[in-house]
Amino acid sequence: CSSNELFKSWYQKKIGAYDQQIWEKSLEQTELKGFGSKPKKTGHIKPDLIDVDLVRGSTFSKTKPESPWTALTRKGLVRVLFFPFFFQWWIQVTSKSISTLILVLYFLQVAGAVVYFEVPAACASEVVGPLCLMLLLGTVHCQIVSTESSRSPDNSPVPSRTASPVRRKRLSYCCVRFVRDRLISDEHIQGEKNGRPTDGPALPREIELLRPSEGSRPASDTDDMLWEELLQDPDSASTGSSESGEEEPHSHNHSHPLPNIAPTSDEDEALPQHQFSWLQACHPSKDRVSAIIWEQGECKKADMSVLEISGIILTRVKVVEQGMGYLIFGSLVTASLALLPYCFRLAQKLDVANLSSVSFKELPAVAIGPPCALSYAFFIITTIERVFLSGLFFFMMCVAERTYRQRLLFAKLFSHLTSARKAKKSEIPHFRLKKVQNIKMWLSLRSFLKRRGPQRSVDVIVSSIFLLALSISFIICAQLLRSHHTFLDSETNWELMVWCAALMVFLLRLATLGAETNRKYSNASVLLTEQINLYLKMEKKPNKKDQLNIVNNVLRLATKLLKELDTPFRLLGLTVNPLIYNITRVVILSAISAAVSDLLGFNIRLWKIKP
């Protein structure tokens, strides 16, 4: 590839030289000289300004895989098909017990495929279904853990358990060194202001949480583990005094010696510090907002930072009890899929007239055919495969649904910040957008909360659900077009309909939660209400009219900026790029249009409907 690129570059320059003019040649000569001889000064990024990335949310970036999704899918298929040869790799990315369970299911799948040809009553879907599920689950998990390759120090596919503490130690070192330097400078400045000597900073609990431990779990698929530890105790803030002079509620002093952490190599010294740039901008000793909190019914004021407010919101989200409805629904669908082959054979061979003439002991023979050791072994294997693999898939969907619910809770609590009644009811801080600094903090908190929790991993799960639902819909439409009179006479078609109905329920749930979350974050009524409050303050305090006008103009710009950057909610994840989406949309909608037109008797063209 490199030789081809060099050849193409050479040929491009060669043919480009024929139409060059004097001005273009002079520019090339200037570019070749470069800027090495120009004088330079030491510069720095001003932390009091914001970038559009902060409002969009890309400032709080997530780890992404280095390989494209096609390569990850191919690797996932290979690692599932040759599971025993990659057993150690699966142990590293899951656990020994789970990998052993999947290995047992793998060998059961192989045994079931061999025995299938000896069982006349068996259906092909009873073998193909679990096989497709295993391939899908393995591929999705490989895409989820693919970010480990970019964070692994030795560029291995995934760091081992013995290597993951080293990685955490290198991260445990950069963050501790950064926070230590910030606290030392802040403590020194604060000591000079108060006229007292500074013996050393009292380190917050975040430092202690960043210490590496032998029994800690390996790094997750995103950087959430690090941020989770930083926000584990939001009440442990810096010991810097607030502007109002009051002691901050829920704050404690922690005096811990610096962990004896050193980088393992020169590579550790070169770790990019931009990963913690957002921490510098949102450090508890930096920008603060005067917020109202309620303690035992009493209204109090405290100067709080983005990290402290987000930590309180995170705590409130964690204490909310999550419902078990969709987990129960997934369990019921799993049981239905496991019992569907037996119920279908019973319904085929029995009717209401002769149902009473069959004894209870004869039902197994009717459901699985003549009594035979191979038949019993095959149906036991397929039942186990269906229960475990379907259960894992629906559990994965329930995890995605739980993540979407938590995102909605984050959005709801964020929308309660500027409402005194809702903030008191939700037990979160309350502040108004009466200052430019408050608006900046509000925008930072909005972006930070939108990026909280699993992002790419859940998108991969949702994409797999979406693609599976589309594929099943296409197969159902094709079967209906081929022969809709005998459609219900096939066990495979019944199974596909159960899968399609269950997937549609989850997709509708995810779409509803996502749209509601997007609506909460894009609610312009909050900014309009704050503008009305500014006019009310102008009437009461005419001497501050100029200052309040500035804040009002900033609120108007913030409203326009949010409308410009916010996009409608889409249920598509990373796996579905625009090309695949458009092709799939045309193919699926064309098939559905043909099936509906055949059933109703007139033509319907659904693929022309824009999403």
Side-chain angles (χ1 to χ4, degrees), residues 228 231-235 307-321 406 409-410 413 426-428 449 452:
E228 190 77 17
L231 296 176
Q232 190 66 31
D233 189 1
D235 304 330
L307 284 182
E308 292 168 340
I309 297 175
S310 61
I312 294 175
I313 293 178
L314 175 63
T315 304
R316 297 303 306 160
V317 171
K318 285 185 175 180
V319 299
V320 174
E321 294 184 0
Q406 287 185 340
L409 285 176
F410 276 119
L413 293 178
S426 303
E427 299 180 1
I428 60 174
L449 291 177
R452 279 293 308 159

Side-chain angles (χ1 to χ4, degrees), residues 431-502:
F431 64 92
R432 295 288 184 184
L433 305 182
K434 57 184 179 180
K435 297 180 181 179
V436 176
Q437 185 64 25
N438 291 16
I439 299 174
K440 176 189 174 184
M441 299 267 296
W442 185 81
L443 292 174
S444 302
L445 186 62
R446 176 181 181 270
S447 300
F448 181 65
L449 291 177
K450 288 182 72 174
R451 301 294 291 176
R452 279 293 308 159
Q455 298 286 333
R456 196 194 69 87
S457 55
V458 174
D459 287 341
V460 171
I461 295 174
V462 174
S463 298
S464 64
I465 300 172
F466 184 79
L467 288 177
L468 182 61
L470 286 180
S471 303
I472 293 176
S473 301
F474 177 75
I475 296 174
I476 290 177
C477 292
Q479 295 283 10
L480 282 172
L481 288 174
R482 189 178 67 175
S483 177
H484 61 271
H485 299 288
T486 60
F487 178 79
L488 297 179
D489 296 337
S490 173
E491 175 187 337
T492 303
N493 293 337
W494 280 96
E495 186 174 352
L496 290 176
M497 287 194 298
V498 173
W499 271 106
C500 188

Side-chain angles (χ1 to χ4, degrees), residues 543-598:
N543 56 331
K544 294 185 177 181
K545 186 175 181 179
D546 294 337
Q547 180 182 358
L548 294 175
N549 267 328
I550 295 175
V551 180
N552 186 38
N553 293 333
V554 174
L555 278 176
R556 289 179 179 176
L557 292 176
T559 305
K560 294 181 180 179
L561 183 61
L562 292 181
K563 289 182 179 179
E564 182 72 21
L565 295 179
D566 285 343
T567 56
F569 173 75
R570 295 179 179 178
L571 196 62
L572 304 180
L574 300 180
T575 308
V576 185
N577 57 29
L579 178 61
I580 293 181
Y581 168 69
N582 290 324
I583 293 176
T584 307
R585 181 172 64 90
V586 172
V587 172
I588 296 299
L589 292 182
S590 300
I592 295 177
S593 300
V596 174
S597 301
D598 185 58

Side-chain angles (χ1 to χ4, degrees), residues 79-80 83-84 87 90-91 93-109 134-135 137-138 141 385 388-389 392:
R79 284 167 177 156
V80 175
F83 190 91
F87 185 67
W90 284 101
I91 291 178
V93 299
T94 55
S95 65
K96 191 172 183 179
S97 57
I98 295 179
S99 299
T100 305
L101 174 62
I102 299 176
L103 183 64
V104 172
L105 293 176
Y106 177 87
F107 286 118
L108 287 177
Q109 181 70 32
M134 183 174 288
L135 290 173
L137 288 171
H141 190 71
E385 292 277 338
F388 279 97
L389 294 175
L392 287 175

